């Protein structure tokens, strides 16, 4: 979001300074005025004065004074603006590495995103900061200004962002052979199930195609590689990215539960910002994204 966009969201005249925005971003990152002051190499009193001046300018409370301190909804808009200015200034001045904060889902990070990491490793002056978040929730990080871009399953653009389709990940329902019932058929209500975390609904959606009964046991394994290992070990059935499941299916360590394929469309949402670095990263992702 650019400055004129922020002004449309706030009432009254707005006089913003980079130092005030930097203080707000530091609080959002560190969770306290004291830690923000240490990061900016100023006193906590200076940080407090900058935030009060910023709140006076926009006429709204921008930081919830709790433990931790978090930006309000109005503050999140300005955090996003502050991060944009940081990125633009870092690219323009070339002083130290340019931070790129991105959100990516764990399955992408464990599969097609790895060649992206290999390319970024050859770029000078870039510090990559990855936030691992479910693809259905990563747009929230964009909305709060915590990342500059995200791999998401939401095609609706966050305000101030552009959206580019990346392709789709293919998931297969698989299980260890010993979990199957008589005749090698899956007993969907009896088999234990593995999910990534409480946000992961892929397995539940697959289960509802076969039964209305919930499984007696649901395991949570919040790591993509460990999730695959848990399914291969027989902890429960689960949906694996096809690229992860293929080798175990080929040598019969896993069996496929029916012929269904779950496709999760992915999109690249990034700030509408004149940034050569973001442009370069966007091109790299489109090159390696699943087809």
């Amino acid at each position: 979001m650019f400055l004129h966009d922020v002004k449309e969201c706030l009432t009254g005249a707005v006089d913003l300074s980079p130092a005030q925005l930097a203080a707000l971003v530091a609080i959002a990152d560190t969770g306290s005025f004291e830690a923000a002051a240490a990061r900016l190499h100023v006193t906590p009193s200076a940080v407090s004065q900058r935030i009060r001046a910023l709140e006076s300018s926009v006429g709204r409370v921008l930081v919830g004074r709790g433990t931790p301190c978090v930006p309000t909804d109005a503050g999140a808009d300005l955090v996003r603006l502050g991060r944009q200015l940081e990125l633009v200034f870092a690219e323009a001045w070339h002083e130290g590495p340019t931070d790129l904060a991105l959100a990516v889902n764990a399955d992408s990070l464990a599969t097609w995103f790895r060649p992206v990491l290999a390319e970024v490793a050859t770029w000078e002056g870039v510090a990559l900061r990855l936030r691992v978040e479910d693809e259905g929730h990563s747009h929230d990080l964009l909305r709060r200004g915590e990342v500059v871009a995200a791999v998401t399953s939401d095609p609706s653009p966050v305000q101030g962002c552009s959206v580019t389709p990346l392709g789709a990940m293919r998931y297969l329902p698989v299980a260890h052979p010993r979990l199957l019932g008589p005749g090698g058929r899956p007993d969907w209500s009896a088999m234990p199930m593995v999910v990534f975390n409480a946000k992961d609904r892929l397995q539940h959606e697959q289960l509802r195609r076969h039964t209305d009964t919930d499984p007696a046991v649901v395991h949570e394994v919040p790591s993509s590689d460990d999730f695959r290992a848990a399914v291969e070990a027989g902890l429960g059935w689960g949906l694996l990215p096809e690229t992860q499941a293929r080798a175990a299916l080929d040598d019969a360590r896993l069996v496929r539960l029916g012929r269904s394929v779950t496709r999760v469309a992915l999109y690249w949402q990034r700030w509408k910002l004149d940034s050569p670095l973001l442009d370069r990263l966007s091109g790299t992702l489109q090159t390696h994204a699943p087809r």
Side-chain angles (χ1 to χ4, degrees):
M1 182 181 295
F2 295 103
L3 181 57
H4 68 272
D5 296 319
V6 176
K7 287 183 177 179
E8 289 177 357
C9 298
L10 303 175
T11 59
V14 180
D15 183 15
L16 308 176
S17 80
Q20 293 168 354
L21 292 173
L24 183 61
V25 169
I27 291 171
D29 285 345
T30 64
S32 74
F33 283 67
E34 292 76 13
R39 172 172 163 174
L40 296 173
H41 306 292
V42 299
T43 66
S45 176
V47 171
S48 181
Q49 290 174 13
R50 292 175 188 180
I51 297 302
R52 286 201 302 270
L54 187 58
E55 290 178 330
S56 177
S57 291
V58 302
R60 297 190 184 187
V61 175
L62 301 177
V63 177
R65 272 70 163 178
T67 305
C69 295
V70 295
T72 63
D73 288 343
D77 288 335
L78 293 179
V79 168
R80 194 158 58 243
L81 175 63
R83 292 196 196 280
Q84 289 179 344
L85 291 177
E86 286 182 347
L87 178 58
V88 170
F89 290 161
E91 288 191 271
W93 293 341
H94 304 290
E95 294 182 356
T98 300
D99 283 348
L100 277 183
L102 313 175
V104 59
N105 60 304
D107 286 340
S108 290
L109 185 58
T111 53
W112 65 269
F113 200 87
R114 290 185 175 181
V116 175
L117 299 179
E119 286 204 30
V120 174
T122 67
W123 301 355
E124 294 185 2
V126 176
L128 196 62
R129 294 194 294 115
L130 294 181
R131 293 284 302 272
V132 178
E133 180 57 275
D134 180 82
E135 66 274 4
H137 298 267
S138 55
H139 57 280
D140 291 336
L141 299 178
L142 271 173
R143 189 171 290 112
R144 295 196 299 268
E146 296 183 28
V147 296
V148 302
V151 176
T152 175
S153 62
D154 190 347
S156 301
V158 172
Q159 185 178 15
C161 292
S162 62
V163 180
T164 303
L166 288 177
M169 292 193 67
R170 291 166 50 92
Y171 289 83
L172 307 180
V174 295
H176 192 286
R178 71 167 176 266
L179 294 184
L180 300 184
R185 295 181 177 276
D187 184 344
W188 292 96
S189 60
M191 289 189 302
M193 186 169 76
V194 184
V195 299
F196 188 83
N197 57 26
K199 298 176 183 176
D200 178 12
R201 304 304 297 174
L202 288 182
Q203 279 72 213
H204 290 85
E205 293 169 5
Q206 175 72 26
L207 185 66
R208 289 295 169 258
R209 301 175 186 174
H210 305 279
T211 179
D212 291 330
T213 303
D214 291 329
V217 177
V218 178
H219 302 284
E220 289 190 14
V221 182
S223 159
S224 186
D225 284 337
D226 293 328
F227 184 100
R228 173 189 53 78
V231 173
E232 290 185 4
L235 187 65
W237 74 271
L239 284 159
L240 290 183
E242 186 173 20
T243 53
Q244 280 189 328
R246 184 53 57 199
L249 289 172
D250 289 343
D251 62 20
R253 284 178 289 131
L254 291 175
V255 293
R256 189 169 170 179
L257 306 178
R259 308 309 301 173
S260 66
V261 176
T262 296
R263 293 175 174 82
V264 177
L266 298 178
Y267 302 87
W268 177 239
Q269 294 213 29
R270 53 159 287 186
W271 290 344
K272 292 179 180 177
L273 194 63
D274 185 11
S275 165
L277 189 54
L278 265 182
D279 292 344
R280 186 180 185 184
L281 181 64
S282 298
T284 300
L285 258 77
Q286 291 178 60
T287 297
H288 296 289
R291 298 288 180 252

